[in-house]
Amino acid sequence: MTTNLVSISEEIRTCLVCHAPLVFLPARKSRLCGRGECDWRYALLQKQHGVCVVCGRPLSARELPTQACATPACQRAAVADRARHLYEQNQARDAALIQQEIQRATQLRDRVMSAFGLREPDMFPLVVIPASTARIVNLPKRRRRAFRDHVDSLVSQADGLSEASLATEESTSPLAVLASEVGAILGKACACCKGFCCGGGGDDAYLNVETIRRYRAANPDQRPSEVLAAYLERVGGRTVEGSCIYHQADGCALPRAMRADICNRHFCKALLEFQRNLPAKGPIRAFFVAASDGAVRTAALVSETQMLVVRGEGESRN
C-alpha cells in the first residue's frame, strides 16, 4: 500500500522524526527536516511498516496492528483502501467467469419462472452476486489472541481521543437504509452470498477507533474491560477459513450495531447496480444468484415479503 502524505494537516509544520520546526518549503512537503539521521530513521520505519499508511506519521506501539495512526480520518481511509484492494483483486480473478455465470443464472431463472407459471421472467430482474464457498474450520488460538490485542488497542486509543476530535470526525450511521424496504431486499441477497465480502476482515474485522467510540456512546455504563469482553464473547469456536474472525456458517456473529461502518455500508458492484436500477414505484423484486468459479451456488426469488431459495450446484460447506 503506498503511503499518501496528501491528507497531512497544514497546521503541523514539524519534522516527523525529530519534531524540529520545518522552515523551508521542500522540507514542509516531505515532512522531514532534511537531516541525514532523520531521513535514515524514517526510511527504516517505512521499511518496517512503522508509519501510518495514510498520513505518514510514525506509529506508536499500540497503533502498529492497524498500520494507521489513531486519527479517525486515517483509520477510515486505511480500512476503506484495504477493502477496495480486496474487492478489485476478487473482481479481476472472476472476470473470465462472469459470462458463464450469467448464462447459467439466466437458464436457472427461466426454469424457476416456468415452474411457477410466470411467463415474464423480467418481472424478477437477474442479479448475479459473488458467493462465499470457503469451508468452516476451527478458529486457531493465535487468531483469537491477535484479535484480542487489536480490540484492546482500539479501546485504549478510543479513550485517548478528545471529545472535540470525535465531534468533527463522527460519521453518519448507515443503519437507517438497512432498516428500509430496500434494505430488507438487500439483506436477503447477502444471505445468498454468505459473506464473500467478509474475506478481508481477517483478525481485526475492520474494527477501528470510530467503531469502538460509537459502541461506547451507545453503552456508556460499560467500562473498557467490558467493551473488550463484549467483542470477545461473540467470537465463535469455528469460522470461515481465511475470512473475518466473526464470519460463521450462518453469517456475521456481530450484531449490526457493533460492526464497523464499512461492513454496514458496503455492497458489491452487482447490488449497487441493482439499487441504481430500482423502479420509481411498484413492487421490488429480483432473482439473486450467488455464483463462484462459473457455477451457481445459491439462488433466491425475492420480493419485499417473501424469499424462495433455490439450491445451486455446490451450496454446502465442509
Side-chain angles (χ1 to χ4, degrees):
M1 190 179 296
T2 303
T3 301
N4 178 11
L5 302 181
V6 175
S7 61
I8 296 175
S9 172
E10 286 297 325
E11 285 97 9
I12 301 176
R13 302 176 185 275
T14 59
C15 176
L16 287 171
V17 177
C18 71
H19 305 296
L22 300 181
V23 180
F24 301 107
L25 184 60
R28 291 181 180 177
K29 287 185 177 180
S30 70
R31 290 301 311 283
L32 296 175
C33 64
R35 294 171 58 232
E37 181 181 354
C38 290
D39 290 343
W40 175 81
R41 289 181 60 189
Y42 190 76
L44 182 62
L45 283 172
Q46 285 183 308
K47 185 176 181 180
Q48 296 173 341
H49 304 290
V51 300
C52 176
V53 294
V54 180
C55 74
R57 293 184 179 90
L59 300 174
S60 65
R62 68 183 185 183
E63 293 170 340
L64 286 173
T66 64
Q67 292 294 289
C69 70
T71 306
C74 290
Q75 290 267 331
R76 282 201 308 271
V79 170
D81 189 71
R82 188 178 66 184
R84 182 170 56 253
H85 180 67
L86 174 69
Y87 178 74
E88 290 172 353
Q89 279 187 324
N90 290 332
Q91 288 298 301
R93 183 195 65 186
D94 293 338
L97 300 171
I98 289 177
Q99 290 305 316
Q100 181 180 351
E101 292 170 353
I102 291 176
Q103 182 179 7
R104 293 189 175 191
T106 302
Q107 292 172 349
L108 177 61
R109 181 190 64 173
D110 291 348
R111 290 200 303 270
V112 172
M113 296 292 97
S114 177
F116 282 89
L118 300 174
R119 302 186 181 279
E120 298 182 19
D122 289 340
M123 290 174 57
F124 288 82
L126 178 65
V127 183
V128 180
I129 57 179
S132 173
T133 59
R135 60 180 184 152
I136 301 294
V137 297
N138 292 328
L139 181 68
K141 292 182 179 179
R142 60 173 176 77
R143 292 195 63 189
R144 188 183 294 272
R145 287 195 300 268
F147 178 73
R148 179 198 60 207
D149 293 344
H150 173 67
V151 177
D152 190 33
S153 174
L154 293 181
V155 172
S156 298
Q157 293 177 55
D159 278 348
L161 289 179
S162 67
E163 293 301 323
S165 67
L166 177 64
T168 56
E169 298 290 349
E170 189 171 345
S171 57
T172 303
S173 172
L175 298 178
V177 65
L178 294 170
S180 67
E181 182 179 294
V182 175
I185 298 288
L186 297 173
K188 293 171 184 177
C190 292
C192 293
C193 162
K194 296 184 178 177
F196 181 82
C197 62
C198 302
D203 296 340
D204 57 29
Y206 291 124
L207 299 178
N208 58 23
V209 175
E210 285 186 296
T211 312
I212 302 303
R213 289 299 298 248
R214 171 163 48 80
Y215 177 78
R216 294 206 65 184
N219 300 272
D221 295 334
Q222 290 191 9
R223 298 189 299 272
S225 60
E226 293 173 317
V227 175
L228 176 62
Y231 276 90
L232 289 179
E233 70 183 10
R234 288 171 170 79
V235 177
R238 290 171 67 78
T239 186
V240 176
E241 186 175 31
S243 189
C244 177
I245 194 167
Y246 283 119
H247 191 180
Q248 300 180 357
D250 56 351
C252 181
L254 274 184
R256 287 200 176 275
M258 294 181 70
R259 298 179 198 176
D261 273 355
I262 193 170
C263 297
N264 289 322
R265 293 182 190 278
H266 176 77
F267 294 105
C268 65
K269 183 178 179 181
L271 290 185
L272 289 174
E273 185 174 352
F274 168 71
Q275 293 178 75
R276 285 195 295 268
N277 295 330
L278 284 175
K281 58 181 180 178
I284 302 176
R285 299 169 178 166
F287 190 78
F288 294 108
V289 174
S292 174
D293 299 325
V296 172
R297 306 295 176 174
T298 311
L301 193 68
V302 175
S303 66
E304 304 94 316
T305 58
Q306 295 180 324
M307 176 175 176
L308 173 65
V309 177
V310 182
R311 291 188 178 275
E313 304 166 15
E315 185 179 2
S316 63
R317 289 196 187 109
N318 295 326

